[in-house]
Amino acid sequence: MTLSTAKTAKTAGASAQDGGRRPLGLRADVRNLSLLGVLAVLIAVGGLTRPDEFLAVSNLQLVLTQASVIGVVTVGMTFVITSGGIDLSVGAIVALASVWATTLATQEYGFAGILFTAVVVGVGCGLVNGLLVAYGGMVPFIATLAMLASARGLALQITDGRTQIVSVESVLDLGIPDAYILGIPPLVLVFAAVTVLGWLVLNRTTFGRRTVAVGGNAEAARLAGIDVRRQRLYLYLLSGLCCGIAAFLLIILSGSGQNTNGNLYELDAIAAAIIGGTLLSGGRGTIVGSVLGVLVFTTITNIFALNNLQSDVQQIAKGAIIVAAVLVQHRTARHGETT
């Protein structure tokens, strides 16, 4: 009788655990399907308003290419937000990395020099952010805001307000149609690789589980043996790495380095992560949702541009989407607490 009761309790516990997982997985699936639905509607709108231009292969390639740059940044941002942090400096880091990697001195080292410099600058800025937040005890908002101002200022000082043209042919060649693989731009392939690696790290590794644990309850994570400060440092390093990669992709796309590069990338990356389902307060993150969020915003921008609508209207639309996404998150969280 006792053995039977124990088995029953064990089964009930397993069922309850599965029941706790299923609603979360179901909500994630519904959210992703909803984003796919929104994307389908946007494609339909673009096809109806500008059929010859929007549905052209070259325009679709452009949309994916533009999504690749901000998409790589968003992958890093997703990890940071999942841990309960925020990074307002991503756009400024992209700008600084792009101008530092396109100086005449750097271009003398060719393709490898530009790539190496962009990545090192990105990781270096991420290291500073991580040290300030994890070991300096600074609030992520303040620390990354300071980095935003500093990186923008340094980028302006390096360029003196001028555009730095890239003359390295091996870099520029990656942006021309001849470099496309089966019609897919190399930048899109890099974005796809970063997305897959990001998904694997977040969902299939100890690092990903620690990230979620720190975002859910940092004190509980510490008591469980996780070095919370070191984990946060690694996350900002990862964000900086993504910014460095994005800066290199932007150099390929634009053929230049400018201090205005990455303008409002922090807004786009945070917005894409939030509407994708990453919880702003931490403890839950989704790479797939973030990528879908990037595609939604990039498609909106493309449709607005093709229809000659002003950029301020785009920003208003993005702001409205962010507010709606946060309200939905809060409502879902309250519903989960009462069920």
Side-chain angles (χ1 to χ4, degrees):
M1 185 67 177
T2 305
L3 180 60
S4 177
T5 303
K7 289 182 177 179
T8 302
K10 183 177 180 181
T11 303
S15 299
Q17 188 175 15
D18 290 340
R21 290 174 181 169
R22 284 173 185 168
L24 181 60
L26 181 60
R27 287 198 296 270
D29 291 339
V30 170
R31 187 182 301 108
N32 290 340
L33 289 174
S34 299
L35 287 173
L36 286 173
V38 171
L39 192 57
V41 170
L42 290 174
I43 292 174
V45 170
L48 290 173
T49 57
R50 293 288 180 176
D52 295 335
E53 299 174 16
F54 180 78
L55 296 178
V57 174
S58 58
N59 184 63
L60 297 178
Q61 290 173 333
L62 175 62
V63 170
L64 291 175
T65 301
Q66 292 175 337
S68 299
V69 180
I70 184 61
V72 171
V73 175
T74 303
V75 170
M77 182 69 78
T78 300
F79 277 88
V80 173
I81 296 178
T82 301
S83 72
I86 198 74
D87 191 348
L88 300 179
S89 64
V90 290
I93 294 176
V94 169
L96 179 59
S98 70
V99 299
W100 207 323
T102 54
T103 60
L104 293 176
T106 303
Q107 291 192 50
E108 290 180 358
Y109 294 94
F111 183 99
I114 293 176
L115 174 59
F116 177 78
T117 302
V119 171
V120 168
V121 171
V123 172
C125 291
L127 176 62
V128 174
N129 281 336
L131 290 174
L132 291 175
V133 172
Y135 294 94
M138 292 186 67
V139 177
F141 182 91
I142 300 300
T144 58
L145 185 62
M147 175 58 72
L148 183 157
S150 301
R152 283 287 178 196
L154 185 54
L156 178 60
Q157 186 178 49
I158 291 174
T159 62
D160 196 23
R162 293 190 292 267
T163 300
Q164 298 178 163
I165 305 299
V166 177
S167 59
V168 180
E169 294 297 331
S170 57
V171 173
L172 298 175
D173 288 345
L174 292 177
I176 62 177
D178 291 342
Y180 292 2
I181 301 174
L182 299 176
I184 303 175
L187 276 69
V188 178
L189 295 177
V190 173
F191 176 36
V194 171
T195 298
V196 171
L197 287 174
W199 185 89
L200 290 173
V201 171
L202 185 60
N203 295 281
R204 294 291 184 270
T205 67
T206 302
F207 182 88
R209 289 191 291 273
R210 288 175 177 172
T211 300
V212 174
V214 170
N217 190 322
E219 180 61 20
R222 185 186 67 81
L223 294 175
I226 297 175
D227 190 331
V228 174
R229 293 191 299 178
R230 185 172 61 186
Q231 184 70 17
R232 285 175 173 161
L233 173 62
Y234 288 162
L235 289 167
Y236 281 98
L237 283 173
L238 177 60
S239 180
L241 172 63
C242 289
C243 289
I245 296 173
F248 182 70
L249 297 182
L250 191 57
I251 291 171
I252 295 173
L253 183 62
S254 64
S256 64
Q258 304 177 56
N259 65 285
T260 56
N261 281 343
N263 187 36
L264 294 181
Y265 271 21
E266 55 278 356
L267 169 65
D268 291 340
I270 294 171
I274 291 174
I275 70 169
T278 298
L279 197 60
L280 190 58
S281 57
R284 186 183 72 209
T286 164
I287 298 296
V288 174
S290 295
V291 170
L292 290 175
V294 169
L295 293 176
V296 167
F297 278 123
T298 307
T299 304
I300 290 175
T301 301
N302 184 258
I303 292 174
F304 274 54
L306 291 177
N307 287 278
N308 298 318
L309 296 175
Q310 297 179 355
S311 59
D312 55 349
V313 180
Q314 297 180 36
Q315 300 305 327
I316 293 173
K318 289 180 180 180
I321 292 173
I322 295 171
V323 172
V326 173
L327 289 176
V328 169
Q329 281 192 359
H330 287 174
R331 183 176 179 182
T332 302
R334 288 197 300 269
H335 178 72
E337 290 174 357
T338 57
T339 56

